[in-house]
Every structure is written in structure tokens, then in C-alpha cells.
């Protein structure tokens, strides 16, 4: 409240706040250059630089439009008003903590404030001896003459190489009047880590002639080479467990783990540290510095909705939004509901696009087929119309009839989601003021996302960000309309780029990014991801960055900053300094060098110390269950995982043949299994093992669902081609005009669009004609369906035979026939010949396609197989029922239809049993290109 009494002080503190913000912003110009530019001059250092010419013109234009509240003017005004600080007794001291470096501009600000009040700068100095004149090997190499070298010293190699940024900062500080107060504490030299720290403190280098012996059990400096980031985290977990076991005073809060890219390692950290099954092996941990979008599934879903504006609205993109847990909660859907929705979308041919108008906006032909609205209309009509409407168009729409009962509720939720989504995306294309954008995006959040206890805080952060956007606009008096892209760019800046300063120092093992002010003392300090080219992180200045072209002491440098951060981390470790990197290729196990900083540390250790170890760097196996972790040969390789131990034992044990899944005969099934329906007997003979597992034991082997295509059909092929061919054959045999039927096929979304689809459909009709004519030649007169009730000793076969025409039982399939076709016709043929009704036909026909080579080309010709009357049909059926079916219900039946047919056909062809067995084996096993099972 006291500030309100003095508006001059209020203005002065506003300026100070602006300066504080600039501390962390990238500044491309020096204040002296700005002053010259505003005076119409060009700084001497920039006179020959073409880039500076247009930048000077641009700067003057910006100042003319937006005023002079820029860095140089703020600095001058601050200096003019800073003496007011001395008049206010409340402001007598400023303290600066945790700063590793500052540009000269900011030091000038602090120095000017120091004329009026006390300014205390607290620094961590790696060395108690003046080290401003030491240079690294690289800097030595750039000295022009031997006379230049005599004024410089290398001092400590690590300090000279990694401490350039700190060295320049302290030299710059020493140029200002100050009173220095030094507080140094020399570490003991009992471990390798403390010896290195002591060398840096005393400014002495490793001495190859006077190497210090280090005990073999010294683990104060550890370097681990792994095959992947996941293996790095797994190794770290085991190493920490060992440290906790060896040192009962060590607590999780005493461990800090840093890495250059926290987002890269965060999933692996959660996968390893959060899934340990044994409670006594669980290590409490927290992950800091993650950006909110990557950390929050709710915010990711929020952005996924808005990102659809630039998408094609493909199936995977739209349903990817619906798969978000927060979206499912909002619309009341479950995982089984989503599986049903995927089925509907696949069957109705939805692929991409809202409707034909959406395609037209993309400069594409305006076809309605395979769009979302076309598919939803099919689904809604299928619900609204009776089942008898199948294959009947309603206003040009083909109803989808496979919706029953409570599934209509799921359909309603799907339609609500899709319509809300398309309405939102359309509305988001309109530019509006930021206040309206805030209301709109808040409505999107409430309409599509329902946070739970874990994600409620994320939703609140998003609402707070939208409110602050409006507040900032009001402060700036900015009322202009802005585009969707600009608003999303603003949100991404805070949600993707700004790290969340949470979950640090929570009393557990802290994982965080390598940032300044994180190098504070910990008993155990770990660095992951010390890979070559990954750290120090590359620094790529812009091509028109005049500061980078004209560097001077105190300028920002990411590489120098990372080097100094590594040095600070090395000095902050109290007991253990742990390093790991990807040092071995996961493909071929070749050695990959570590970061140059790790190499420099290794060179220093090898130069000045006698290590009683065969290899200082620990090379870890590719797999966490490697026997090397459990055989005790290398004491440095170990694992606390009991699961991996079990897997390791299995690897070293003598290989034994796998036992059969069913090693003993099962009990005989109940008597109702002796009543056998025709389709069940056929199903058994097609695959006896599958029938036993599924029908007798209730074991269903799940099959992976094929991904839904995301493009409309451009050609007919594969299973869709076969199904449509078979449908057209059936329809023509039923007397349907296939030219009229094309509208049905087109409405189903199966045909390519436009003239290509017309041509493909016409070609299919032409191709099936010989097959249809062949089948029609046998379909003289349709017989009624026959009810079957055939008693064979204690077995009873029941069911119906319904494909009887004239004197034949006819089966046909417009495709190359498979084993299952022969089995089905043979079983039904045997049953037909066993029935006592003398008026029934005794012949059966199987009509299909057969591959023939004509003129060097493989073509498919219509082939008819005729089955003659069988006198001992009941005897054959009894054998199939008792010796095959009943035994196959008790134990696996060694009958493999495809291999058996291959063997029989080969024997019929050349009577060579060896070749026949080879072909049967190939049918069973396949090869590297064809998998048969």
C-alpha cells in the first residue's frame, strides 16, 4: 500500500520489473547500438555489416510506430530515477542468488543501484585461487605467438575447459568496486570425487608423474554405458537400490537426477520407477520441468480437438480424440463402446472428410461417399427403418441394419460427439477478439472434456491461462480480432515450451532438466543422457543475429552454459557423481562415444589417478535379464529384479522341448455333445484343434483388428473385392438387375468414386457372367429346405439342408476353392445320401474357380466338381463321428486339412511320397515370406 503514495516509486518499480523480465529474454541488440540507430548513426563495429543496415531501418520504423519504451530507453530512465532508492528506508539492500553469469548490461544496472543501496551478490566460486588468466587447450591453440602463451596458464584442465563462462563473469564483477568476502571449505581427499573437487579448488592439475591410487571399491564417480535411454533408467534404478542398501542414512531426498531432455526420459522413468512390483523395492520419485501439454492427457485432448481444423478428418484423427479418457467421460462411453464404434465405421465405409462440401473446399471432387455425414446417415437410417429395408435405398442412402437394442444409446452418443466436433471446428475458423476466444475455448473445454481428480488441476491451469490472456489484452488495450492460429501459438508457448516448476524437492528422488540454479548440494547427483552431440546442447544462432557476429565477454552461449553447468554439478555432488549415456548401438553393439565433457573427465582421471579396475566405464548388456547380471563374475553388474533373475535362469538352463498344452486326455464330454448339428460337425473338421479349444475349453485366441483404411477405395482388391464379387453372383442368381444394383453398391462406399468406379463395376459384372451361367445351368428347380435328424448309433446329426435344386445339392463360390469348401460339400453330401427319403437327390456339385495357365498367363476358369452317390455314407459318417469328432473332443486330433489336401493332390499328381510330404510340410510351416499358420 505504501507504494501507492509515491507514483514516482511506482513507475520506478515498474521499470525494474520490466528489466527483471528482460533478464531471461533473448536480446539481439546492444543498448549502445540502439542509441546510435535512433540518432541516425551506425555503430563503428557494424558499419561494414549489410545485415545491420536493414535492421537499423526496421528499428527506427518500430520506434516510430510503438514509441521508445525499449531496452535502451528503459535503462536510461532507470539510471535517472534510481537515486530515489536511497531516500526510502525500506529499500536498503538487494541480494542476488544463484546467478552463474550476467551480461554487462545487467551488471551495469546492479552497479548503478549499488551507488545508492547495498547490493550483495552471492556466487559459487569453483576455485579459491584467482583463475581469471587460465585458458583451455583450445584457447591455447588460438594464441598467435609464443609470446602470447607466456602470460597464460592452463591451471586445472577441467576448470579451464568447462569454466569459461564463470571465469568471464567473475572477471567482469571484479572490474566494479566491491568488497569481497570468501568462504571456502576444502573437501577431504579420501575418494576420487573429492580428489577432483580438491584439485579444482586448489587450482592444481592432474599429474601424470604423481598419480594418486584409488581403491577398487571407490564408487564415488560412476560412468555407465548403455544401449538405450530405457536401459539407462533401468541401470539407474538398480544402482540407487544398491546405494540405499549400503548407506542406511541415504534418503530419496538426497538424490537428484538431471538430464538434458526431460521429455525424452520421462516415459522411461515412469515405466521403470512406477511399475516395480515389490513394495520394498519401490523408490519414491518426482519428475519436474515437464511441459504441461506432454504431462497432461486432458490438455493433449484439448489441442487434438483444435488441431482437427487443419486435418482431413480421417478416421484415426477423429476417433483418436474420442479415445481420450476425458472425452469418453464427457460423452459416457466405454472401451467396449469404442470397439463397436470402430466396427460401425469400418462397415459403413467412413474414411475421411465431413461431407462433400468439405471435400469441395479442398478443391477435390464433391463426392459424398466415404465421408462422416454419409456414414452417420446410414447408421441413423438403419436404426429408424425396419430390417426389411436392407438393400433398399431411402433418398439415395443405404441403411445400415446391424444396430440392435441398447446399441442405439451408443449411436446417439457418437452422433452427439461428431456433430459437436464439426460445429466447434467450423466456429474456430472465425477470427475474434481475445475475450471472445477465451469464452469459446472455455466452452470447448467444458463441452468435450470431463476432468477427474487427477486432471482437474490441469483443467484449472488451462482456464487460468485463458483468463490471463484476456487480462493481458486488457492491460495492453488490445481489442483487435486475431486468428485461431495466433491464439493456439500463444497457448502452445505456455503449455509446450514453458516448463512447469513443480515436483522439485518433494522429499523423493527428483528428476529434472539440466537448468541453472539446479546445481545445489546433493549426496548423490546423477546425469543421464550424456550422449555425444546431445550435451553440450548445440547452439545455432540466427543468421542475422548481430550479437553472435560480434561477440564479447558476458554474451550468452548455450554450449559454454552447459559446460559450466556440468562443472557446477560435479562440484555439487557430496558423495557420488553418477553419469550414464548411450554408449553402445542397439543394432550391432558398436561403441558410441560419450559427450565430450565425459571424455574430458575420463582423460583427467586416467591422467592423474591409478584406478584399481579393469574398466572404469561400466559397459552394460543389451537386456536387463542378461545372465551377466546374476552370475557374479563381474561384481559391478547386478540386478535387484526377481523377474529378470527368473528369466536369466531360463536362459542358462539346458533347453528342453516344450511340453504339449494338453498332455493327458480330457474327460469325456456330456451326452448332449452326441447331438451334433451339421454346421458344428463341419466347423470341427475344418479345424479340429480350434474347435476343441473354443467349444470344449472356452479358449478364444484373440485376433488383432485390422486398421481401418483412411482413404476412399481407388481400386477393388483383396477381401473387399472377393466379397463384392460373391454378392453380385448371389444377386444375379436371385434375378436382381445388376445395373440397378450399382446404386446400392455405390451407396455402401465400396466402389471407387466417379467413372473409375463405374468402369470397375462394369468389369466385375462382365467377369462373373461365365460363372453365373454355369451355376444357372444346374439350378433347374428349387427344392424345399430339408430338416435333418439322422441317428447313427448313439450319435444324432441335426440341422437343415437348404441348397437343393432339381437332382443336386449345389455349393458354389466365386473364388479358388479352399479345403473348407471340400469339407463342407462332402459332409452334406454324405448326410444327403444317408437320408431314407427316396425322392431326395443323391448327387452334389461344387462350383468354383481353378487356376489354369493359358498362353503363359495364369487365368481362372470355372470348374465343377461332381460328387456321385455314396452307398456306405452312413458308415463313413459313423467313422467321422466316433473316430474323429468324439476323439477330437477328448484330445487334440492330428488332422490338418490344408496339409492333408496338399499331400493328397501331390500324390495324385506324381505318386512321389517324399515330394508330397515336403509340400504338406510347407503348407504347415510356410517360409520366410509366407506364414501358413
Amino acid at each position: 500500500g505504501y507504494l501507492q503514495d509515491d507514483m514516482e516509486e511506482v513507475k520506478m518499480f515498474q521499470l525494474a520489473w520490466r528489466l527483471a523480465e528482460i533478464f531471461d529474454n533473448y536480446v539481439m541488440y546492444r543498448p549502445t547500438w540502439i542509441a546510435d540507430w535512433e540518432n541516425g548513426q551506425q555503430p563503428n563495429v557494424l558499419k561494414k555489416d549489410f545485415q545491420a543496415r536493414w535492421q537499423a531501418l526496421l528499428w527506427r520504423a518500430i520506434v516510430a510506430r510503438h514509441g521508445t519504451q525499449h531496452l535502451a530507453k528503459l535503462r536510461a530512465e532507470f539510471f535517472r530515477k534510481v537515486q530515489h532508492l536511497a531516500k526510502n528506508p525500506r529499500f536498503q539492500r538487494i541480494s542476488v542468488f544463484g546467478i552463474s553469469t550476467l551480461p554487462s548490461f545487467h551488471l551495469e544496472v546492479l552497479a548503478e543501484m549499488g551507488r545508492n543501496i547495498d547490493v550483495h551478490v552471492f556466487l559459487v566460486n569453483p576455485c579459491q585461487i584467482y583463475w581469471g588468466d587460465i585458458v583451455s587447450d583450445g584457447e591455447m591453440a588460438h594464441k598467435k605467438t609464443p609470446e602470447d602463451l607466456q602470460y597464460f596458464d592452463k591451471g586445472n584442465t577441467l576448470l579451464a575447459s568447462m569454466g569459461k563462462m564463470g571465469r568471464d563473469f567473475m572477471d567482469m564483477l571484479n572490474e566494479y568496486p566491491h568488497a569481497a568476502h570468501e568462504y571456502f571449505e576444502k573437501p577431504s581427499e579420501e575418494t576420487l570425487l573429492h580428489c577432483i573437487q580438491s584439485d579444482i579448488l586448489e587450482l592444481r592439475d592432474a599429474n601424470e608423474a604423481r598419480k594418486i591410487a584409488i581403491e577398487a571399491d571407490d564408487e564415488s564417480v560412476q560412468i555407465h554405458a548403455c544401449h538405450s535411454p530405457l536401459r539407462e533408467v533401468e541401470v539407474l534404478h538398480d544402482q540407487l537400490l544398491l546405494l540405499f542398501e549400503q548407506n542406511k542414512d541415504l534418503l530419496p531426498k538426497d538424490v537428484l537426477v538431471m538430464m538434458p531432455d526431460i521429455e525424452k526420459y520421462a516415459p522411461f522413468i515412469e515405466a521403470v520407477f512406477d511399475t516395480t512390483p515389490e513394495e520394498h523395492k519401490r523408490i519414491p520419485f518426482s519428475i519436474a520441468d515437464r511441459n504441461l501439454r506432454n504431462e497432461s492427457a486432458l490438455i493433449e485432448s484439448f489441442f487434438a480437438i483444435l488441431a482437427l481444423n487443419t486435418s482431413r478428418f480421417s478416421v484415426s484423427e477423429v476417433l483418436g480424440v474420442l479415445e481420450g479418457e476425458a472425452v469418453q467421460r464427457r460423452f459416457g462411453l466405454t472401451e467396449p463402446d469404442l470397439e463397436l464404434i470402430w466396427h460401425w465405421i469400418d462397415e459403413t465405409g467412413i474414411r475421411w472428410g465431413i461431407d462433400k462440401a468439405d471435400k469441395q473446399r479442398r478443391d477435390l471432387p464433391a463426392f459424398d461417399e466415404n465421408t462422416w455425414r454419409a456414414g452417420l446417415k446410414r447408421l441413423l437410417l438403419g436404426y429408424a427403418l425396419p430390417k426389411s429395408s436392407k438393400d433398399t435405398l431411402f433418398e439415395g442412402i443405404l441403411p445400415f441394419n446391424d444396430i440392435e437394442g441398447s446399441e442405439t444409446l451408443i449411436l446417439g452418443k457418437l452422433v452427439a460427439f461428431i456433430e459437436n466436433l464439426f460445429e466447434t471446428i467450423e466456429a474456430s475458423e472465425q477470427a475474434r477478439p481475445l475475450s471472445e476466444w477465451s469464452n469459446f475455448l472455455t466452452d470447448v473445454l467444458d463441452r468435450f472434456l470431463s476432468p477427474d481428480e487427477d486432471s482437474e488441476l490441469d483443467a484449472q491451469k488451462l482456464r487460468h491461462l485463458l483468463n490471463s490472456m484476456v487480462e493481458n489484452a486488457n492491460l495492453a488495450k488490445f481489442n483487435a480480432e486475431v486468428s485461431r492460429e495466433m491464439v493456439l501459438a500463444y497457448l502452445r508457448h505456455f503449455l509446450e515450451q514453458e516448463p512447469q516448476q513443480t515436483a522439485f524437492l518433494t522429499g523423493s528422488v527428483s528428476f529434472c532438466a539440466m537448468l541453472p540454479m539446479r546445481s545445489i548440494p546433493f549426496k548423490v547427483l546423477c546425469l543421464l543422457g550424456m550422449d555425444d552431440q546431445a550435451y553440450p546442447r548445440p547452439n545455432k544462432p540466427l543468421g542475422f543475429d548481430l550479437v553472435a557476429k560480434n561477440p564479447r565477454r558476458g554474451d550468452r552461449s548455450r554450449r559454454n552454459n552447459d559446460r559450466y553447468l556440468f562443472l557446477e554439478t560435479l562440484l555439487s555432488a557430496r558423495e557420488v557423481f553418477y553419469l550414464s549415456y548411450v554408449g553402445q548401438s542397439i543394432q550391432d553393439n558398436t561403441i558410441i562415444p560419450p559427450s565430450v565433457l565425459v571424455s574430458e573427465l575420463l582423460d583427467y582421471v586416467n591422467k592423474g589417478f591409478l584406478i584399481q579396475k579393469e574398466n572404469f566405464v561400466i559397459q552394460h548388456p543389451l537386456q536387463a535379464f542378461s545372465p551377466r547380471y546374476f552370475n557374479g563374475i563381474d561384481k559391478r553388474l547386478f540386478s535387484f529384479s526377481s523377474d529378470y533373475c527368473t528369466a536369466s535362469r531360463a536362459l542358462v538352463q539346458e533347453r528342453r522341448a516344450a511340453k504339449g498344452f494338453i498332455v493327458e486326455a480330457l474327460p469325456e464330454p456330456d451326452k448332449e455333445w452326441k447331438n451334433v448339428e451339421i454346421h458344428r460337425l463341419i466347423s470341427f473338421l475344418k479345424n479340429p484343434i480350434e474347435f476343441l479349444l473354443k467349444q470344449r475349453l472356452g479358449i478364444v485366441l484373440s485376433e488383432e483388428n485390422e486398421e481401418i483404411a483412411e482413404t476412399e477405395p481407388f481400386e477393388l482388391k483383396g477381401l473387399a473385392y472377393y466379397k463384392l464379387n460373391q454378392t453380385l453372383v448371389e444377386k444375379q442368381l436371385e434375378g436382381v438387375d445388376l445395373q440397378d444394383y450399382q446404386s446400392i453398391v455405390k451407396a455402401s462406399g465400396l466402389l471407387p468414386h466417379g467413372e473409375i468406379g463405374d468402369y470397375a463395376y462394369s468389369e466385375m459384372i462382365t467377369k462373373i457372367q461365365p460363372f453365373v451361367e454355369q451355376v444357372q445351368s444346374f439350378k433347374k428347380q428349387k427344392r424345399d429346405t430339408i430338416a435333418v435328424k439322422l441317428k447313427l448309433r448313439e450319435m444324432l446329426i441335426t440341422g437343415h439342408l437348404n441348397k437343393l435344386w432339381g437332382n443336386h445339392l449345389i455349393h458354389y463360390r466365386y473364388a479358388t476353392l479352399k479345403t473348407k469348401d471340400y469339407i463342407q460339400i462332402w459332409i452334406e453330401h454324405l448326410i444327403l445320401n444317408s437320408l431314407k427319403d427316396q425322392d431326395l437327390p443323391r448327387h452334389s456339385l461344387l462350383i468354383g474357380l481353378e487356376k489354369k495357365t493359358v498362353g503363359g498367363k495364369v487365368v481362372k476358369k470355372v470348374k465343377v466338381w461332381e460328387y456321385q452317390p455314396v452307398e456306405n455314407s452312413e458308415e463313413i459318417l459313423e467313422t467321422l463321428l466316433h473316430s474323429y469328432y468324439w476323439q477330437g473332443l477328448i484330445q487334440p486330433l492330428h488332422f490338418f486339412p490344408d496339409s492333408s489336401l496338399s499331400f493328397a493332390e501331390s500324390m495324385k499328381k506324381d505318386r512321389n511320397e517324399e515330394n508330397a510330404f515336403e509340400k504338406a510340410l510347407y503348407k504347415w510351416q510356410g517360409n520366410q515370406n509366407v506364414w501358413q499358420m
Side-chain angles (χ1 to χ4, degrees), residues 224-236 264-265 268 529 531 580-592 617-626 628-629 637:
H224 300 264
C226 305
H227 287 81
S228 65
L230 173 60
R231 291 291 296 120
E232 285 188 78
V233 179
E234 290 175 335
V235 170
L236 173 68
K264 176 181 177 181
Y265 280 83
F268 303 123
D531 304 345
S580 76
Y581 64 98
V582 176
Q584 300 163 84
S585 170
I586 200 170
Q587 280 83 24
D588 56 14
N589 211 41
T590 55
I591 300 299
I592 302 174
V617 179
I618 304 176
Q619 304 286 341
H620 286 268
L622 172 63
Q623 304 292 357
F625 51 79
S626 170
R628 292 171 57 196
Y629 283 113
L637 295 178

Side-chain angles (χ1 to χ4, degrees), residues 168-203:
D168 292 345
F169 180 47
M170 291 178 191
D171 270 358
M172 293 167 62
L173 276 176
N174 286 329
E175 294 174 358
Y176 293 94
H178 67 280
H181 302 274
E182 297 180 346
Y183 303 92
F184 292 98
E185 182 178 344
K186 184 177 180 179
S188 65
E189 298 186 7
E190 297 176 353
T191 65
L192 175 59
L193 174 63
H194 291 159
C195 287
I196 296 173
Q197 293 172 343
S198 180
D199 285 351
I200 295 173
L201 180 66
E202 300 290 343
L203 196 61

Side-chain angles (χ1 to χ4, degrees), residues 211-227:
K211 289 190 175 183
I212 301 173
I214 301 298
E215 298 297 332
D217 60 352
D218 187 335
E219 300 291 343
S220 59
V221 178
Q222 302 182 28
I223 303 179
H224 300 264
C226 305
H227 287 81

Side-chain angles (χ1 to χ4, degrees), residues 365-393:
F367 291 112
D368 208 30
E369 296 92 334
N370 303 112
T371 64
W372 281 96
R373 293 213 187 279
L376 291 180
K377 289 176 182 178
R378 290 192 61 194
L379 291 169
L380 289 172
L381 275 177
Y383 159 69
L385 298 179
K387 300 297 182 183
S388 57
S389 61
K390 183 179 180 180
D391 288 349
T392 303
L393 294 181

Side-chain angles (χ1 to χ4, degrees), residues 222-370:
Q222 302 182 28
I223 303 179
H224 300 264
C226 305
H227 287 81
S228 65
L230 173 60
R231 291 291 296 120
E232 285 188 78
V233 179
E234 290 175 335
V235 170
L236 173 68
H237 188 267
D238 282 326
Q239 294 292 333
L240 290 181
L241 286 176
L242 178 64
L243 290 174
F244 288 132
E245 184 180 38
Q246 291 176 340
N247 187 353
K248 302 302 180 183
D249 295 330
L250 182 65
L251 300 175
K253 68 178 183 178
D254 299 324
V255 180
L256 177 68
V257 186
M258 297 194 292
M259 57 220 74
D261 187 355
I262 189 67
E263 298 297 342
K264 176 181 177 181
Y265 280 83
F268 303 123
I269 295 168
E270 292 174 343
V272 174
F273 280 75
D274 206 24
T275 58
T276 306
E278 300 93 338
E279 187 63 32
H280 63 283
K281 296 178 185 177
R282 292 180 67 88
I283 301 176
F285 73 99
S286 61
I287 305 177
D289 304 323
R290 295 200 66 188
N291 68 61
L292 188 56
R293 180 175 177 183
N294 286 340
E295 192 175 9
S296 170
L298 180 139
I299 292 179
E300 179 62 30
S301 295
F302 177 79
F303 270 91
I305 293 169
L306 299 175
L308 287 175
N309 184 277
T310 57
S311 74
R312 299 169 72 245
F313 299 100
S314 66
V315 171
S316 62
E317 290 170 326
V318 174
L319 292 190
V321 173
L322 190 57
E323 288 175 349
E325 293 183 0
V327 180
Q328 290 182 43
R329 283 193 297 270
R330 173 60 67 203
F331 291 92
L333 293 168
T334 63
E335 288 297 327
D337 296 342
L338 291 183
E339 292 181 6
L340 180 60
I341 290 172
W342 275 100
H343 169 71
W344 287 344
I345 289 173
D346 188 27
E347 292 297 316
T348 54
I350 299 174
R351 296 299 177 259
W352 70 276
I354 299 176
D355 50 25
K356 63 181 180 181
D358 180 40
K359 290 185 176 182
Q360 196 169 21
R361 284 193 296 270
R362 303 173 191 273
D363 295 328
L364 295 172
F367 291 112
D368 208 30
E369 296 92 334
N370 303 112

